[in-house]
Amino acid sequence: MTATNQTTVLVIGAGIMGAGIAQVAAQAGHPVFLFDLREGAAGDAKRKLGATLDGLVAKGKLAAETVAATLANIEPIARLDAAAAAGVVVEAIVENLDAKRSLFRALESLLSADAILCTNTSSISVTAIANGLEHPGRVVGMHFFNPVPLMKLVEVVHGLLTAPDVADRAFELARSWGKVPVHARSTPGFIVNRIARPYYAEALALLQEQATTPQVLDACLRAAGFRMGPCELMDLIGHDTNFAVTRSVFEANFGDKRYVPSLIQREMVDGGLLGRKSGRGFYGYPEGTPPLPPSACGPVPTARNVTVHGAGPVAQALVSAASRILESQGGLAQLAPDSPWIGIEVDGARLMLSDGTPAHEVARRGGLSDVVVFDLPLCRPVAAATPLAYSVHAGTSASWQAAAASWLQALGYAPQRMQDAPGLIVARTVAMLINEAADAVQQGVCTPEGADAAMKLGVNYPAGPFEWLAQWSGAGVIAVVEALDAAYRGERYRVSPWLRRRAGIWEHSFGHACRDDEIH
């Protein structure tokens, strides 16, 4: 059977997710049965949906005829046997394996053998849900994202027993509903909830070691293009929910240290600091995230010898800034494009783009004293005072600390000083997101294209992990992850074999380790 808009859809669960799924199916023209065990819940959900859609009509965003047709397609039912003719089922009930198995067993005896059984689970194994059914091949995951009518992504999740044609039919069904489906293998977290873990984990790790503040973390990652910083996003999601997902992924992966939950977040949950829903998380509400204090950097001091090292967009920005500044001082910057590092050297003092190595380790290896390391400027400044993190070697002179901040300000950034942690903020976060996505591809969870689409559409990332990889370099990402591993030791920071293999391919193609400018 191929699902068309004439196929009857049974949606089980009339909560926020179920009502949203019923809406998109009905808007696509399907007759929809809506069922919930709670007496009257399905009817209430339809009435609330009607009020919402009428509001959109009043605002001119929907035609009254569209609303009338959508509501006419939804029929609340009090008994499952009223939906025996359904060709597609989407369940959106409680996240409990036994409850989902029990439901699908009951549906097997009710529906025809070719009906598709879809689960909207966000964390339970699709293989486990299908276990014990007479026809396990027709069980497939259709993981929608909230709010369903607005969010485009649907993860079509294949269990070990899912028939390929069933997954393809679910994929096409989602596409016919105006969604962007991506195929995923049933592994803990699927695509989005797995790949997104480092976005929260690296922020919590930096807070655990008191390297910076929630305010600076959020500001720097927003400046890198993310719509919300990790701390304000966790406040929005709810720390109880975010912590539960992290624990679920950690336990499902047999305690893999990459997914270890945070002591800070557990303490917040234990204390009832759940974020917006409780009025307080990392921030107080309704006030929310406070603005950063203004940067107070002076003008760039006069220098005798200025050299811009390295190549690529960051080095070019430094060349432009140095030329502009030195022209007013009657000087000229020297260029060292073949240098192994990117940054600027002023009278022997260094301002270096982070390769993951902390400033104190850079100083130790090079026998240097004046060393300041700045974070990966993932996006060029689009306005004055774009936040960018930097850290300072403990032996750096006060004069170079001030001058380095002035250079960053001259580049268009609002420098945010933090403790000397490996990878700073943006570099370590994005490197770990790329690394996690590479492992997902290595394990057959998704394709690179699927990962990019999922992360952009499911959690509104400014780019997909493999798009970032193309902008950066395999060697650059590996260097950051290896620097994290050298600093912390353990399983958490291990380079994905897929990423290491790809970096080897790039190096072989170019004949040497790739520089930043060769990947752009």
Side-chain angles (χ1 to χ4, degrees):
M1 183 202 70
T2 300
T4 69
N5 64 358
Q6 301 303 310
T7 304
T8 299
V9 176
L10 167 60
V11 177
I12 303 176
I16 293 174
M17 294 299 292
I21 294 167
Q23 177 186 337
V24 298
Q27 283 180 323
H30 293 266
V32 177
F33 290 120
L34 181 59
F35 174 81
D36 197 291
L37 279 175
R38 296 167 295 153
E39 186 176 352
D44 288 342
K46 181 177 179 179
R47 283 188 288 274
K48 288 178 183 176
L49 174 60
T52 300
L53 296 179
D54 285 343
L56 294 175
V57 171
K59 295 177 181 177
K61 295 184 177 181
L62 270 182
E65 295 79 8
T66 300
V67 170
T70 298
L71 294 175
N73 282 339
I74 300 175
E75 180 182 347
I77 57 174
R79 294 170 55 89
L80 275 177
D81 56 14
V88 174
V89 176
V90 184
E91 69 80 12
I93 66 171
V94 62
E95 280 289 273
N96 178 278
L97 174 59
D98 290 337
K100 292 180 187 293
R101 274 183 180 166
S102 177
L103 172 62
F104 280 163
R105 283 177 187 143
L107 289 171
E108 273 203 310
S109 63
L110 176 68
L111 305 176
S112 66
D114 61 357
I116 303 173
L117 304 181
C118 305
T119 172
N120 183 52
T121 183
S122 61
S123 60
I124 300 174
S125 164
V126 173
T127 304
I129 292 172
N131 185 19
L133 296 182
E134 290 183 18
H135 303 286
R138 59 173 168 167
V139 178
V140 64
M142 285 187 76
H143 180 211
F144 293 82
F145 288 75
N146 191 34
V148 175
L150 299 180
M151 298 296 283
K152 289 290 188 182
L153 179 68
V154 175
E155 292 178 324
V156 177
V157 186
H158 310 220
L160 286 178
L161 303 171
T162 302
D165 68 306
V166 169
D168 290 341
R169 282 146 57 191
F171 187 95
E172 292 303 323
L173 182 64
R175 186 149 60 185
S176 74
W177 291 357
K179 302 302 180 184
V180 178
V182 293
H183 286 293
R185 191 163 66 86
S186 183
T187 54
F190 308 146
I191 303 174
V192 172
N193 280 331
R194 172 186 175 157
I195 294 177
R197 293 339 303 156
Y199 191 62
Y200 313 112
E202 295 310 310
L204 291 165
L206 287 167
L207 294 175
Q208 182 77 40
E209 61 186 87
Q210 301 184 74
T212 187
T213 65
Q215 190 180 1
V216 169
L217 278 165
D218 285 345
C220 289
L221 283 160
R222 283 198 307 272
F226 292 90
R227 292 191 184 184
M228 298 183 76
C231 298
E232 58 189 345
L233 182 54
M234 285 184 276
D235 274 2
L236 176 65
I237 294 168
H239 288 277
D240 51 345
T241 300
N242 189 263
F243 184 64
V245 172
T246 302
R247 284 189 61 179
S248 173
V249 173
F250 177 64
E251 291 164 5
N253 281 283
F254 305 110
D256 190 326
K257 293 296 191 293
R258 285 185 301 176
Y259 312 112
V260 65
S262 165
L263 291 173
I264 284 182
Q265 195 166 45
R266 184 181 71 178
E267 188 76 359
M268 294 177 74
V269 172
D270 289 347
L273 306 178
L274 306 182
R276 289 178 180 268
K277 67 173 79 174
S278 69
R280 184 179 170 194
F282 286 117
Y283 309 110
Y285 295 92
E287 295 82 7
T289 313
L292 287 171
S295 300
C297 300
V300 174
T302 301
R304 295 184 300 276
N305 297 298
V306 177
T307 303
V308 177
H309 292 261
V314 175
Q316 287 301 316
L318 288 168
V319 169
S320 298
S323 299
R324 184 177 66 252
I325 292 163
L326 293 175
E327 184 178 2
S328 66
Q329 298 178 357
L332 186 66
Q334 302 176 60
L335 304 181
D338 294 326
S339 179
W341 58 279
I342 296 172
I344 191 164
E345 189 169 13
V346 180
D347 295 335
R350 293 188 180 185
L351 174 62
M352 307 175 69
L353 174 66
S354 176
D355 66 356
T357 309
H360 72 268
E361 183 63 17
V362 173
R364 185 192 68 79
R365 291 177 186 175
L368 306 168
S369 55
D370 285 346
V371 175
V372 174
V373 174
F374 65 95
D375 205 356
L376 177 68
L378 199 59
C379 298
R380 302 294 171 259
V382 294
T386 300
L388 185 73
Y390 73 101
S391 66
V392 174
H393 165 49
T396 298
S397 65
S399 60
W400 180 238
Q401 291 182 38
S406 296
W407 274 100
L408 290 174
Q409 182 172 265
L411 283 169
Y413 294 101
Q416 305 296 319
R417 182 167 175 175
M418 60 179 288
Q419 295 300 314
D420 191 21
L424 300 176
I425 295 173
V426 175
R428 76 186 278 168
T429 300
V430 173
M432 288 302 290
L433 288 168
I434 293 170
N435 194 59
E436 189 62 44
D439 247 12
V441 171
Q442 167 85 14
Q443 295 164 15
V445 176
C446 58
T447 63
E449 296 78 14
D452 284 345
M455 301 316 290
K456 289 189 292 185
L457 296 174
V459 278
N460 290 317
Y461 281 4
F466 295 96
E467 292 172 344
W468 279 319
L469 179 59
Q471 294 170 23
W472 197 349
S473 72
V477 174
I478 289 171
V480 172
V481 178
E482 288 184 333
L484 289 163
D485 183 55
Y488 298 111
R489 293 301 181 192
E491 303 173 25
R492 177 167 176 160
Y493 300 106
R494 61 181 189 268
V495 177
S496 166
W498 186 96
L499 189 60
R500 199 179 292 282
R501 186 168 61 250
R502 278 304 179 103
I505 292 170
W506 288 324
E507 184 172 344
H508 177 75
S509 299
F510 285 104
H512 53 77
C514 297
R515 295 198 314 264
D516 179 68
D517 59 314
E518 292 169 329
I519 301 299
H520 278 263

